[in-house]
Amino acid sequence: MNSGSLQFNSKQMTAAWKANNGDNGFVGTNELSSPNIICHKNATPGVEYLNIAAGDTLKMKWSTWADSHKGPVLTYLAACPGECTTVNKASLQFVKIAEGGFRNGVWASDAMMKRGNVATAVIPASLKAGNYVIRHEIIALHGGGQGQAQLYPQCANIKVTGGGSSAISGGVPGSRLYSPNDGGIHFDLYKKFTSYPIPGPKLWTGR
């Protein structure tokens, strides 16, 4: 079942990466090591940038999302060595800057829907100015117990202004963020549980 996609308009549309996700399709767990998981299927860079100051909150609105598609909401950031508009996506080294999983009985995807399908991520205040790719994602776990989680990554170019002197460190390629056997990917949300192991690396705080 298809679920949703990020909503962009005007300049945001041209900053967003293009991908073969017009049918609101997903990336399956059989593609976690393929280039498709980086910014969705056959993604190519956006041609402009969204401007945002370090320390500000980036809001990302999903046009639709199915309430049956419960799971974590994650946001990553990677620095471009030059222009993000021409960057090789396989060269991007991502760090996680925001995450939500299962808290107080509520999935992050459900909490996002209650906010009008809006997810947020704070750009670290200490991050040095420059060109970056933001990678935002929801992982739908309704098939996770059978090893069939659905991943919905979306990317956009951002130009960070102000900030400090912290460069991103410890990042990993998008094709190495997850494994099919990770506890937060191969997860049965229909069985009784009290906690959920959010997949991916630890949060990067800008230090």
Side-chain angles (χ1 to χ4, degrees), residues 68-109:
S68 62
H69 285 39
K70 301 182 186 300
V73 180
L74 314 164
T75 304
Y76 295 85
L77 192 66
C80 296
E83 294 294 334
C84 297
T85 56
T86 56
V87 73
N88 177 355
K89 61 188 175 186
S91 70
L92 294 171
Q93 303 285 312
F94 288 96
V95 295
K96 188 193 294 180
I97 61 170
E99 65 179 9
F102 182 78
R103 184 177 181 182
N104 297 326
V106 178
W107 283 102
S109 57

Side-chain angles (χ1 to χ4, degrees), residues 4-6 26-28 31-32 36-40 60 62 65 69 71-77 94 96 98-101 108-109 112 119-121 134-140 149-156 174-175 177-178 184-185 196 198-201:
S5 60
L6 276 178
F26 59 88
V27 179
E31 296 185 277
L32 293 183
N36 285 335
I37 193 59
I38 301 173
C39 292
H40 220 300
M60 296 151 288
W62 289 78
W65 190 256
H69 285 39
V73 180
L74 314 164
T75 304
Y76 295 85
L77 192 66
F94 288 96
K96 188 193 294 180
E99 65 179 9
S109 57
M112 179 204 69
T120 61
I134 195 90
R135 179 185 183 275
H136 180 63
E137 176 180 58
I138 304 178
I139 302 175
Q150 298 178 358
L151 293 90
Y152 295 80
Q154 305 282 328
C155 292
S175 58
L177 291 172
Y178 312 120
I185 299 292
Y196 168 74
I198 299 175

Side-chain angles (χ1 to χ4, degrees), residues 107 141-147 183 185-193 196:
W107 283 102
L141 295 171
H142 53 287
Q146 293 74 46
I185 299 292
H186 198 289
F187 184 88
D188 190 345
L189 58 77
Y190 300 111
K191 290 186 177 180
K192 185 176 181 180
F193 62 93
Y196 168 74

Side-chain angles (χ1 to χ4, degrees), residues 15-33:
W17 284 46
K18 294 182 179 180
N20 291 347
N21 56 353
D23 63 349
N24 299 335
F26 59 88
V27 179
T29 53
N30 62 322
E31 296 185 277
L32 293 183
S33 60

Side-chain angles (χ1 to χ4, degrees), residues 8 63 145 188:
F8 297 100
S63 57
D188 190 345

